[in-house]
Every structure is written in C-alpha cells, then in structure tokens.
Amino acid sequence: MTWSIKTWRARAWIGMTLAMGFASMAMAADKQATWSGKVAPLATPWTAEVSPGNALPDYPRPQLARPSLEHPRWMSLNGLWQYAVADGRGAPPFGRALKSSVLVPYPIESVLSGVQMHADFMFYRRLVDVPADFTAQGQHVRLNFGAVAQDATVYVNGKQVVRHTGGYTSFGADITQALRPHGPQEIVVAVHAPVDGANVMVGKQRLKPEGIFYTAASGIWQSVWLEPVPATSLAQLTFTPARSLDAFTVTAKLQGGGGDATLHVVAYADGKAVGEASGPAGKPLRLPIGHPRLWSPADPFLYIFKATLAKGDQRDEVTSYAGLRTIAVEKVGGRNRIVLNGKPTFLLATLDQGYWPDGIYTAPTDAALRFDIRKTKDLGFNTIRKHIKVEPARWYYWADRIGIMVWQDMPALPNGRNEKLGDADKAGFRADVSAIIEQLKGETSIIGWIPFNEGWGQWSIPAAAELAAQIRQLDSSRLVDARSGANCCDTKGDPHAGDVYDVHDYQGPGLPSPDATRASMDGEHGGLTLGVPGHVWPNTAINPYGDVKDSAALTAGYVANTAVLRDKGPAIGVSGSVYTQITDVEGEHNGLFTYDRKVEKVDAARVHAINAETIRANGQP
C-alpha cells in the first residue's frame, strides 16, 4: 500500500486513536516459541516448521539446475552460522569463533533468525566441508548467494573472493583457488546494512517502522549454496518468446570464459522433444517449437529445456524452463489495450508486498512462499503487483507454474529523499534497475516493469521517462509502467512515457482512459480495513483506509468496489487494476488475509465470482 508522507501524516492521528482500541487484539496475538526459544510476535502456520536442520532446504534456482531440478547437484549452506555485530572498522574474524549464531537465510531482524535485532555492520562465519567429488576431474566450486542486504564482502580461508553491492540481486564466486587441500573451509561474510540511512534501494524497510513502512530486513535473506561446475559453465539461460509464438530466442551468459564454447538446447513438452537448436554459446539461438502451446493464467504450460554447454572435453548440463507467451499494447476497438498472446486481457491484480511476521522479508518455508500466490489465484485474480520488492527465484517459479501474471516493481529509494539525491545515488539506482531486470527477464510470469511508485525516490518528472527508456533497451518483450500513481502524491506529474497510464484512487477504483500511445489501469485502489483479534502485529498503530465492521461487510465492500470495474471498465477501455492488498502487513489491516495467513477475511466464493465476471466483461472470453 502506498500513500504520500503528507497524506499519511494528515491521517496519522486516526491510526494512533485506533491503535488504542486494537491494543487488546495485539495482546491476544498467537504467541509461539521458535527454534531458538524466542517467541514469535505473530506466528504463521509454518513458524514451527523452521529449524537449523530445515531452513529452506529446496533448490533455490529452478531456472538453472544441474543436471535437473528433480536431482540437483548442490550443497545447501542454509542453517546455523556464527554471527557477530561489527563496527565497520575492524578486520574480519578469520580463524576465530564468533560467540553468537544466526539462522541463515532469515534476516537478522526476524525472530526466525534467532537474532531479532538490527545492526548496521555484521559478520557471518561458517566452517564447511566441501564434498570431495565437487573438485574431482577438474571441476570448480561456486559459492552462490540469493541476496544479501546491502553490501557483502565474502572471504574464503582469508582470501576475498567477491564483493557485491545491492540487496536484491544474486551473486557468487568461483572459490576453487581459495580452497585448502584438506579440512574444513572457512567462509566469512562481512555485511553493511544501512537500510534507509543511505540512498540505496530499500523498498518499504525502515529502521523506525511506522504506518506504511515496515521492519527492516538486513544481512543474508536468501539461500546460500555450493555447487560443482566445469571450468567454463552456464551462468544464466534466458528464453524469450518470439512474437510469432512459435519459437524462443535463447541467450546464454557464461562464467569462466567462453571462447569457442557451443550450446545445444532441446525443448520438451510433456516429456517429448518438440524442438532443438545449436550454435556458438555467445550468440542468440532461435529455438523453433512444433505445435506450440501457449502460457496463460488459464493454462500455465511450461516447456522444459535441457541445455549442454560444450568446450573441448568439458560439458555443463543444465535444465531450465519457460512459457511461450507475449504481452503488448494494441488497438482494440480504437483504444489502446493490453493484450496477452494477442487477445485483450484485463489484468486483475492484488498488491503483494511479500512480508512475513516471522521471517520479515523471507518466507518461513517454500510452502509459505507458494501460499500467497496460490490463494491469489484461488480468489480469481490473474495478476500480482509485486510491490517495491524483489523475491527469491522460487517465488517466480511458483508464479510461473501456478499461472499468475506479475507487475514487477523496482524497490524504492528511501521516500522523502528525492531532493537529496546526488549523481552517484542516481547512477546506483539505474545500475540496480538494470541488474534486477537482467536477473529476472527470463521469468514467464513477469509481464511488466514499474521503476517508480508515486514519485518515491524519483528525482524529477523526466526521470521516469529516462528509466522507461533504459528498461525498454534492456527488455523490449515486456510492458513498462513508467510511474505507478501518475496522479499522486508529493511529486505529481505524468511522465507521458512507457506503455501504461496508471492512477491510484483510494478507495476508488479509478477508471482512467487510455491515451494515444498507452493503455490505462488503476495501479492501486481499495484498502478496506478489518483487524481480526489475535491475528494482528503487536504494538503498531493501525493505518486505516476505510474501516468495515466484519467479514460480511468486507466482502460486500470488495464486491461493490470491483463491480465498478466490471460495469464501467469496458466502455472506457481500462486494462487492469490492483486491489490493496492480499494480506495485512504490520500496521495495515486491509488484506484479504490476516498478516499471519491464518484467517481468510472474505467470502472466497463471492470474491471469485465478481473477479471472474470482471475479467470476462473487460475483454477475455
């Protein structure tokens, strides 16, 4: 959910007053001890499943699995690491044990980490026995990190192997030359996490959370793992559907030097080969598909790819996947509309912020990660707006498999710092946007990019147009919504760029008209508020958008709100909407589910029915 600071402050007194009335609710919240003995402020159905021996054990990178997702060859480093708060000046703690521990990959502010407090600087340390077969026959060992917030410097046996800046992108290093011949290998990670104390991407994280801003998530917050690879190996495979919907363009990124390496890719549908392509690994390949089957929310069919990178006598064999689909803006009945696979499609979405009361930025389990997507689909939505956060690769895997389209926001710079941005800050943001798009542009579910939300971190009105052009150059196969909420808030101004004109209207919904070059959508609306005793985040002022008294009233309000889109949207030609939101988040009680995911606050059958009617009425049979 997003409001301007001005609007939030104007209504803050309401939240503080309501907070007193909800205090008894917070006190009644479900208290449950975690693996460390610390009590969860609010437990989810999966809190008790998390332990040092069961910390997100699933393979973390489904689109590049060696040799397959069913039988990956890897070693998870999730689990207990030694941990210490640092001052940012001292030397890394090589060769000595740290007194505290942390459960990786849960951010240190979360109860599941076992730390449950913030630090600007910290050290992680772990001793690892690398399997002997990982280094057999000339293989190399790679150390991979899903994400670390914000700056991470990694050492193996006292030798720096990689430094990475950016809290939302993956990174890794070939650590072969740093390994000792025998015995355990020492891994030390030095982290700096300034959160909103610096002009870096942080999304909704705040050191002092309140209102529409939430608890910070610092340190290692996505999976860590080792894997054996050839000296030259695949770092990424991207499958871009052809506009003709009968082929993919395959592009590969290599690590360890490419030279004269060749790439051979075979596509499979239901276990049968339906296409193949071969050629130099450094050039795009065209992979034709026989009897194409398209991906859509109604039929989220995914092709499986087996790829072999060959260089001399070396072979790197990986498995990947992708769906065959296109997304575009086209004239339909004289108006610009969003079309999926050439057909006008209304993108009916929820706002999804990806926060958890036990793991903050990190879902407690893979089943929990899947839950929000599955429930969104079950309620009849066909799209998610992933709001100001980037998720782990497995989240997009489930979106791809379950069949939900995704508007992908860029995590915002700290709100209110627009005027303080220097050239280095702007360059850092641009670089992070590029890195995120390069990492995610192979995900079938992502149909559009949103660089700015309501002007947050946007240093000028033209900046949105500049970022839209930058994104278009990186990825011309998806839509760009240059600014979600062009009609608000502290920094008003339509950039007149991108593919979509997007307004925010609480409670709305907004019904903007397409213009001469863009489709239109309501990027946020709704926000009906209902707190459920025993299922709210404790000691937090409630941020209300419009209270309802009970589940029946919430359901009726949602149905009435969405009926406007059903009844008035077709005549205007609006292409989508985003309801706020799928779950409560800390002080926001406007979810269709409670923050702990234990209570579905609406009548699911009625919500599904109005959603289906709205999608049908606005263009998709």
Side-chain angles (χ1 to χ4, degrees), residues 375 379 551 592-594 597-604:
K375 290 301 182 180
L379 286 169
S551 176
L592 302 176
F593 283 82
T594 54
R597 278 73 167 177
K598 292 182 179 180
V599 179
E600 188 171 40
K601 296 195 284 183
V602 291
D603 182 327

Side-chain angles (χ1 to χ4, degrees), residues 149 151 159 164 189 213 216 255 263-264 329-330 364 453 488 521 591:
D151 300 332
K159 179 179 180 181
H164 180 79
V189 184
F213 301 111
Q255 53 206 9
L263 181 65
H264 178 69
V329 171
E330 296 179 0
N453 176 77
C488 65
M521 64 181 283

Side-chain angles (χ1 to χ4, degrees), residues 40-222:
L42 184 65
T44 71
W46 308 276
T47 301
E49 297 179 21
V50 177
S51 69
N54 190 36
L56 293 176
D58 303 279
Y59 185 71
R61 194 185 53 204
Q63 280 198 316
L64 195 71
R66 293 181 173 88
S68 70
L69 187 57
E70 293 76 20
H71 304 288
R73 192 175 178 212
W74 70 303
M75 178 182 178
S76 175
L77 297 186
N78 292 348
L80 283 180
W81 288 54
Q82 297 171 22
Y83 171 82
V85 173
D87 60 10
R89 296 186 298 273
F94 301 138
R96 58 185 176 87
L98 306 180
K99 294 181 179 180
S100 299
S101 63
V102 60
L103 185 58
V104 169
Y106 302 99
I108 58 170
E109 292 86 351
S110 71
V111 69
L112 289 180
S113 73
V115 178
Q116 210 175 3
M117 63 180 294
H118 174 76
D120 280 2
F121 296 92
M122 67 204 82
F123 288 118
Y124 292 76
R125 181 178 183 265
R126 179 163 174 172
L127 300 179
V128 177
D129 289 314
V130 176
D133 63 344
F134 275 27
T135 56
Q137 299 177 335
Q139 293 183 112
H140 289 224
V141 179
R142 286 197 66 85
L143 172 61
N144 301 300
F145 292 82
V148 181
Q150 163 69 26
D151 300 332
T153 305
V154 182
Y155 305 86
V156 175
N157 298 322
K159 179 179 180 181
Q160 181 176 322
V161 294
V162 64
R163 181 179 180 186
H164 180 79
T165 299
Y168 296 92
T169 45
S170 61
F171 64 98
D174 184 334
I175 64 171
T176 310
Q177 297 304 313
L179 297 178
R180 296 170 179 148
H182 306 287
Q185 315 294 332
E186 181 189 50
I187 301 173
V188 173
V189 184
V191 178
H192 177 209
V195 193
D196 56 332
N199 288 322
V200 296
M201 282 187 171
V202 292
K204 290 283 197 90
Q205 301 177 70
R206 294 295 182 271
L207 291 175
K208 295 181 179 179
E210 59 178 354
I212 59 172
F213 301 111
Y214 319 128
T215 303
S218 306
I220 299 173
W221 68 276
Q222 292 186 25

Side-chain angles (χ1 to χ4, degrees), residues 395-465:
W395 188 91
Y396 301 97
Y397 166 71
W398 287 118
D400 295 341
R401 280 194 60 182
I402 291 170
I404 202 92
M405 294 178 284
V406 175
W407 287 107
Q408 178 61 56
D409 287 12
M410 293 299 131
L413 298 173
N415 199 20
R417 289 181 174 268
N418 308 29
E419 73 286 352
K420 299 179 182 179
L421 295 178
D423 290 343
D425 301 323
K426 298 172 189 177
F429 182 78
R430 292 188 186 102
D432 284 346
V433 168
S434 293
I436 289 168
I437 290 172
E438 288 294 338
Q439 178 170 309
L440 297 180
K441 68 181 183 181
E443 300 293 350
T444 301
S445 54
I446 297 177
I447 51 79
W449 309 104
I450 302 176
F452 291 112
N453 176 77
E454 297 182 354
W456 293 18
Q458 183 181 332
W459 49 92
S460 67
I461 292 176

